[in-house]
Amino acid sequence: MKHREILLCKYGEIVLKGANRKYFEDTLCREIRHRAAAYGDFDIYRAQSTIYIEPKDELADMDGMFASACKVFGIVAVQRAAVCEKNMDDIKRVAKDYIPQFLEGKKSFKVEAKRSDKAFPLDSMALAREVGGYILESCHKIKVDVHQPEVVVKVEIREFGAYLSAGAFKGAGGMPVGTSGRGLLLLSGGIDSPVAGYMMAKRGVKIEALHFESFPYTSERAREKVLELASILAEYAGEVRVHIVSLTHIQEELVKNCEEDYFTLLLRRFMMKIAERVAKYKGCSVLITGESLAQVASQTMQALCVTDSAVEIPVFRPCIGMDKEEIVTISRKMGAFETSIQPYEDCCTVFTPRHPKTKPELEKVLAQAAKVDFDALADEAFESLYTVNIEARY
Ligand code: ATP
Ligand code: MG
């Protein structure tokens, strides 16, 4: 017999938000509604720190909806559950017919019961015991292990019905996108910056992206790769606008006029300066980069100080304390890694100095910067800005 299924999305930190809680919950529900539209006809409602995603008919794509719900920041767990009536006969029916498919090949389970509807006659202890008994009647090889079960079966008696599920899936965690303001992500084609965008979106930041290219030193394919990365980010962060600015003339001027050892630092100061202008123009309060302390010459503490001193706007660097391996783990988790490692050139990799300064002194950097018309070049680059809109990909 086919069971009526529903998704229960549990939210985490939002529960702690006193007076603002409704605002966070509304944002989250809106996000889920947008996503659900791509997978069929669903009723979406909330009660008791849970968002219910209920298909209205058989045509709804529950697998697709489930995978999408697992990417919503603000949700800590997603349970796919069978719905039943709030009586023991129906609970027994579902425990015996629906749950066993999730226990096949498993050695142990335990039942956790939650009774938010206190009118239900059994308390949670008794309920868990009963349901465990029904499951054992259907599955003979499995054992109950309350300490380290392979699968946790949940039975919840809630406002609108009873729900049985096996194995909760970890949600994306964090805060709903849009509840923490807007940031401008400096997005390269590398591994680190998409991860930086993911991390900040996870804390609720709405992401706009800025990519610098250096045509013809960088190719059309390199730009395509960056747009593909933005679209992977958009699976989590929603719509991402990618602003593209050309650094070609700046780089040529640096090569012509400045000492080679300072190329990268000067270029980074240009990037920050232009990014600050784009941020102001697009209503972003902070810049976000994928820098990680000591990873390369331009990411030593001295180099980062020189870079930062080019701008007044705060720079968020969520990867700053992470090892490459930790960054790669997140990159894989978000599904960006395979795209990030495609070997296309970045504007930072053309004209790289052979001996970059790792302990730059600001005065010397400024003396080098004075050899070009910094403001005019930054203005000219800013004028080259054009925008590609990457739609939310659910
Ligand atoms: P990533 O893996 O993100 O490219 P990285 O370790 O290669 O980082 P860099 O190339 O020095 O380091 O860049 C440091 C940061 O500067 C990047 O994380 C990104 O935020 C920004 N950045 C670098 N290149 C570009 C670019 N072409 N357009 C926009 N931002 C860039
Ligand atoms: Mg890079």
Side-chain angles (χ1 to χ4, degrees):
M1 174 186 172
K2 213 158 155 32
H3 295 273
R4 198 154 68 84
E5 287 185 307
I6 190 172
L7 300 180
L8 302 175
C9 304
K10 311 276 172 83
Y11 35 92
E13 276 181 64
I14 296 176
V15 176
L16 307 173
K17 304 281 169 214
N20 289 332
R21 178 169 164 164
K22 189 172 175 308
Y23 160 68
F24 287 97
E25 289 178 323
D26 286 346
T27 309
L28 203 48
C29 273
R30 205 175 323 121
E31 171 69 16
I32 288 179
R33 277 204 184 93
H34 276 149
R35 286 172 181 260
Y39 296 102
D41 232 349
F42 292 89
D43 262 334
I44 290 159
Y45 47 95
R46 63 168 192 258
Q48 296 160 329
S49 305
T50 300
I51 294 175
Y52 295 68
I53 308 179
E54 185 172 353
K56 285 189 186 167
D57 54 42
E58 302 258 306
L59 297 174
D61 172 5
M62 284 292 275
D63 293 337
M65 187 65 235
F66 180 81
S68 188
C70 289
K71 293 179 179 169
V72 177
F73 290 129
I75 301 288
V76 291
V78 184
Q79 282 164 243
R80 187 170 178 155
V83 186
C84 44
E85 317 246 319
K86 289 199 259 185
N87 64 61
M88 287 316 282
D89 283 345
D90 209 35
I91 291 173
K92 179 175 183 176
R93 174 184 67 82
V94 173
K96 296 187 77 155
D97 294 354
Y98 175 79
I99 295 297
Q101 59 180 317
F102 302 103
L103 303 181
E104 250 170 61
K106 308 284 188 208
K107 292 195 177 63
S108 61
F109 78 102
K110 80 166 175 183
V111 178
E112 281 178 4
K114 188 175 164 200
R115 183 184 58 142
S116 346
D117 174 0
K118 301 295 178 209
F120 192 77
L122 295 189
D123 69 13
S124 27
M125 289 275 278
L127 182 58
R129 211 175 317 114
E130 283 291 308
V131 171
Y134 303 148
I135 292 171
L136 288 172
E137 284 172 25
S138 295
C139 310
H140 302 295
K141 290 197 183 132
I142 201 161
K143 289 199 164 50
V144 172
D145 180 346
V146 290
H147 301 295
Q148 283 186 312
E150 236 181 291
V151 183
V152 176
V153 172
K154 286 205 165 126
V155 48
E156 303 180 43
I157 313 292
R158 293 171 156 269
E159 197 171 337
F160 311 112
Y163 305 91
L164 267 87
S165 62
F169 284 78
K170 235 173 130 52
M175 301 298 292
V177 171
T179 58
S180 294
R182 190 177 282 270
L184 183 68
L185 170 67
L186 278 75
L187 182 62
S188 71
I191 296 170
D192 308 332
S193 48
V195 168
Y198 174 92
M199 304 266 294
M200 295 324 302
K202 181 173 184 216
R203 294 309 301 165
V205 177
K206 180 72 191 157
I207 302 290
E208 301 246 346
L210 171 61
H211 176 64
F212 294 104
E213 59 182 11
S214 194
F215 196 74
Y217 308 105
T218 62
S219 64
E220 188 79 33
R221 296 294 299 275
R223 181 195 308 151
E224 292 297 322
K225 174 186 173 183
V226 170
L227 296 178
E228 174 58 22
L229 288 170
S231 112
I232 294 167
L233 186 57
E235 291 175 28
Y236 305 85
E239 177 192 61
V240 176
R241 286 193 293 173
V242 184
H243 309 294
I244 300 177
V245 164
S246 169
L247 290 183
T248 310
H249 193 203
I250 290 175
Q251 289 191 283
E252 288 170 345
E253 286 297 299
L254 292 177
V255 170
K256 228 186 287 167
N257 298 293
C258 307
E259 258 180 58
E260 181 187 309
D261 295 0
Y262 290 92
F263 284 175
T264 309
L265 281 166
L266 293 168
L267 187 65
R268 297 207 60 77
R269 284 179 63 92
F270 266 113
M271 284 183 164
M272 296 312 246
K273 197 74 205 165
I274 297 163
E276 183 176 50
R277 277 191 65 178
V278 176
K280 280 189 184 140
Y281 179 51
K282 299 292 174 187
C284 299
S285 314
V286 299
L287 303 182
I288 301 164
T289 75
E291 288 156 312
S292 156
L293 190 63
Q295 196 187 79
V296 288
S298 60
Q299 294 171 25
T300 62
M301 193 177 284
Q302 292 88 341
L304 291 172
C305 290
V306 164
T307 308
D308 263 12
S309 70
V311 291
E312 284 173 7
I313 190 171
V315 183
F316 285 8
R317 297 183 167 93
C319 302
I320 197 73
M322 290 162 69
D323 295 346
K324 194 74 187 185
E325 203 184 301
E326 294 170 300
I327 300 174
V328 165
T329 302
I330 298 175
S331 172
R332 286 188 193 281
K333 186 169 102 179
M334 70 181 281
F337 187 71
E338 296 305 325
T339 305
S340 284
I341 57 173
Q342 287 171 16
Y344 295 113
E345 65 297 322
D346 181 59
C347 66
C348 292
T349 58
V350 292
F351 308 119
T352 43
R354 279 157 294 181
H355 306 291
K357 293 274 179 225
T358 54
K359 291 185 181 162
E361 290 165 47
L362 185 58
E363 297 80 62
K364 290 189 180 161
V365 176
L366 292 177
Q368 289 296 318
K371 296 184 175 186
V372 294
D373 193 342
F374 195 93
D375 292 336
L377 282 168
D379 284 350
E380 181 199 306
F382 181 74
E383 293 302 321
S384 73
L385 182 140
Y386 68 97
T387 299
V388 180
N389 215 14
I390 303 293
E391 293 200 359
R393 201 164 80 172
Y394 297 139

